[in-house]
Amino acid sequence: MTSIKSNPITWVPSVYFAMGLPFVVLNMVSVLMFKGMGISDGQITFWTSWIMMPWTLKFLWSPFLEMYKTKKFFVVLSQLITGVGFGLVGLALHLPHFFTLCIVLMAIIAFSGATHDIAADGVYMSELSKEDQARFIGWQGAFYNIAKIVASGGLVWLAGWLLKQNGGVPGASAEVMQRATVQAWMIVMMALGGILVLLSLYHSRMLPSGGVAVKKAESARETWQRLLEVLGDFFHKRHIIYYICFIILYRFAEGFVMKIVPLFLKAGRNIGGLGLSEEEIGIYYGTFGAAAFVLGSILAGYYISHFGLKKTLFSLCCVFNLPFVAYTLLSFYQPENGLLIGGAITLEYFGYGFGFVGLTLFMMQQVAPGKHQMAHYAFASGIMNLGVMLPGSISGFISDALGYKYFFVFTLVATIPAFLITYFVPFTYSAPVKTESESGETVS
């Protein structure tokens, strides 16, 4: 594959859009899909959490991506595999044991998506200076979050619209509703697969290489020693234990909320939910949420660039976590007014978009710098996803036990550790960060 020299604006948004799609679909959209097909909440939250494990363990194979081909090669290949995988998920929905087959296929997609994240972040860090990393971090976060809106908003709305077109309307028989649901989600999954295949073709032309392989592995022993070296270097970083706790706790409350929110929005009012349809959920996410996401992410990038990460990190954490109050209020008052529901979603999504870029940049500039920055960033982001995955896997059981009202109150309490650890977090590097090349030379 060849590429031309490209301005970062021609590939940063599209690469991080492609990064966000599989993660959000597996983590959030699939929850609504399986709910509509009659799978229990316990099975949904448990399995859709554990298939996210590759994003936690991706550090195990991240060093191998520095030894073979280019980072661009793995970005393009993983986008292609992920696209085909979603197409197969759509086809599997018609089969008798669709849930098992879908979970297996989604696990493969998760491995491909995690590999894509490693290589894409490697391209970003290799091709951009530290100043440009800060300059484009808002665009990176914005388009990752736009992917979340396209998936949880646009695709969910499309599924709801297709459901109606195929006869899945209130009062329809269970057989008709089931058939309409399968048909609707099959089209959605195949459309998603087509988008990712097209993105892989685009990036085969526009994406810079991100550097060639450092060297080829000569033996399994050498490869294993290299992995141990990478891990050893990571755990010898200054303040690393504190940083690991910080990375886990920053998004801890979000981990509980992420899978329950769509179930809460869809659940009937008689059991504490808002009783929204897929089409309504898609509209709220795709309008109110989309604007808030983009605005929050881009503003945060300029905010950090102007004042510096050290001065802004605690305020970013506050903006990220405080909007969980919105869902607590929704659960207590169960408003029917669309503006109130949309306003609460806007507040939460603005906070997520604004606060998330702070954690991303912290991992890039305080945790990753050094000899193995791509692998170490992959390790850090894997730890971050573990902090989301573990609470997500038990969130359904806690929600069932407490009910939606007190579940969201519990989530507010879970934000307290994030505030405390962020307020006292130490900084190892000041911007711009000096890093080392694989040869040991210090570079800007």
Side-chain angles (χ1 to χ4, degrees):
M1 292 174 290
T2 60
S3 63
I4 59 175
K5 185 65 176 178
S6 303
N7 186 301
I9 201 66
T10 65
W11 58 267
V12 170
S14 57
V15 163
Y16 282 87
F17 178 78
M19 180 186 290
L21 279 178
F23 186 86
V24 174
V25 171
L26 297 187
N27 211 23
M28 295 179 63
V29 177
S30 64
V31 171
L32 285 172
M33 180 178 75
F34 291 134
K35 180 69 173 178
M37 298 185 71
I39 305 301
S40 68
D41 287 2
Q43 282 186 301
I44 291 171
T45 56
F46 182 82
W47 288 109
T48 58
S49 291
W50 281 100
I51 60 173
M52 308 305 289
M53 183 62 78
W55 274 281
T56 298
L57 299 179
K58 61 186 179 181
F59 71 91
L60 291 174
W61 63 92
S62 60
F64 299 97
L65 304 189
E66 298 186 48
M67 300 178 192
Y68 303 99
K69 300 288 187 180
T70 62
K71 299 176 183 70
K72 170 185 175 177
F73 171 83
F74 290 105
V75 170
V76 174
L77 179 63
S78 57
Q79 286 174 3
L80 184 61
I81 292 172
T82 301
V84 173
F86 277 120
L88 293 175
V89 168
L91 295 176
L93 294 175
H94 288 278
L95 301 176
H97 301 289
F98 73 90
F99 184 66
T100 301
L101 290 171
C102 285
I103 290 297
V104 171
L105 287 168
M106 287 179 174
I108 295 171
I109 291 171
F111 180 82
S112 176
T115 302
H116 174 274
D117 290 11
I118 299 168
D121 288 328
V123 173
Y124 187 88
M125 290 186 287
S126 298
E127 294 289 337
L128 301 184
S129 66
K130 297 301 174 183
E131 292 81 1
D132 281 343
Q133 286 178 20
R135 186 173 298 115
F136 285 96
I137 193 70
W139 290 99
Q140 181 204 101
F143 277 83
Y144 185 93
N145 290 332
I146 286 174
K148 183 174 183 178
I149 294 303
V150 169
S152 60
L155 295 180
V156 171
W157 176 89
L158 179 61
W161 183 81
L162 289 170
L163 186 64
K164 289 183 178 179
Q165 299 304 306
N166 286 279
V169 295
S173 67
E175 182 182 353
V176 171
M177 187 66 73
Q178 178 73 11
R179 185 170 61 250
T181 301
V182 169
Q183 189 68 17
W185 283 108
M186 182 195 73
I187 294 173
V188 168
M189 289 292 115
M190 297 191 75
L192 174 62
I195 291 171
L196 285 161
V197 170
L198 290 175
L199 284 169
S200 73
L201 297 176
Y202 174 78
H203 291 136
S204 69
R205 177 66 176 166
M206 299 302 296
L207 191 66
S209 70
V212 298
V214 176
K215 64 177 181 177
K216 294 191 176 184
E218 296 177 358
S219 66
R221 180 178 179 181
E222 179 182 307
T223 303
W224 176 246
Q225 288 176 339
R226 179 176 174 80
L227 176 58
L228 292 179
E229 175 191 346
V230 171
L231 293 177
D233 287 348
F234 183 86
F235 285 104
H236 280 90
K237 288 176 179 283
R238 190 180 180 193
H239 304 308
I240 192 59
I241 300 301
Y242 196 106
Y243 287 170
I244 290 172
C245 294
F246 166 74
I247 291 168
I248 291 175
L249 293 176
Y250 193 93
R251 297 181 65 192
F252 188 63
E254 182 204 354
F256 287 107
V257 168
M258 183 178 290
K259 294 184 183 298
I260 296 302
V261 165
L263 296 174
F264 162 67
L265 295 177
K266 185 172 173 57
R269 290 180 173 273
N270 60 315
I271 57 173
L274 295 186
L276 302 180
S277 67
E278 286 90 348
E279 201 170 2
E280 289 173 315
I281 294 171
I283 289 173
Y284 286 126
Y285 281 168
T287 54
F288 298 102
F293 247 149
V294 176
L295 182 62
S297 298
I298 294 177
L299 286 179
Y302 288 108
Y303 176 57
I304 297 170
S305 180
H306 184 74
F307 293 103
L309 183 61
K310 188 172 184 178
K311 292 182 178 179
T312 60
L313 186 60
F314 183 72
S315 61
L316 291 166
C317 178
C318 291
V319 175
F320 182 80
N321 284 282
L322 286 177
F324 294 135
V325 173
Y327 285 113
T328 305
L329 293 175
L330 286 179
S331 67
F332 271 84
Y333 293 101
Q334 293 181 277
E336 297 184 17
N337 187 296
L339 290 178
L340 290 177
I341 297 173
I345 291 173
T346 298
L347 175 63
E348 197 271 340
Y349 273 54
F350 178 86
Y352 183 85
F354 194 87
F356 184 74
V357 294
L359 178 59
T360 301
L361 196 60
F362 184 90
M363 292 191 298
M364 284 186 174
Q365 296 193 347
Q366 299 299 316
V367 181
K371 188 177 179 181
H372 309 287
Q373 67 170 357
M374 184 176 82
H376 287 175
Y377 182 79
F379 196 10
S381 59
I383 293 170
M384 175 187 69
N385 286 307
L386 180 65
V388 175
M389 187 198 80
L390 291 179
S393 66
I394 61 173
S395 60
F397 302 107
I398 296 176
S399 177
D400 287 343
L402 299 179
Y404 290 122
K405 288 182 181 179
Y406 296 106
F407 171 80
F408 288 117
V409 172
F410 165 81
T411 300
L412 292 180
V413 176
T415 66
I416 295 173
F419 294 133
L420 294 175
I421 200 165
T422 303
Y423 187 80
F424 295 105
V425 67
F427 275 64
T428 300
Y429 303 99
S430 58
V433 183
K434 298 292 183 181
T435 63
E436 290 184 5
S437 66
E438 291 293 330
S439 62
E441 294 181 6
T442 302
V443 295
S444 294

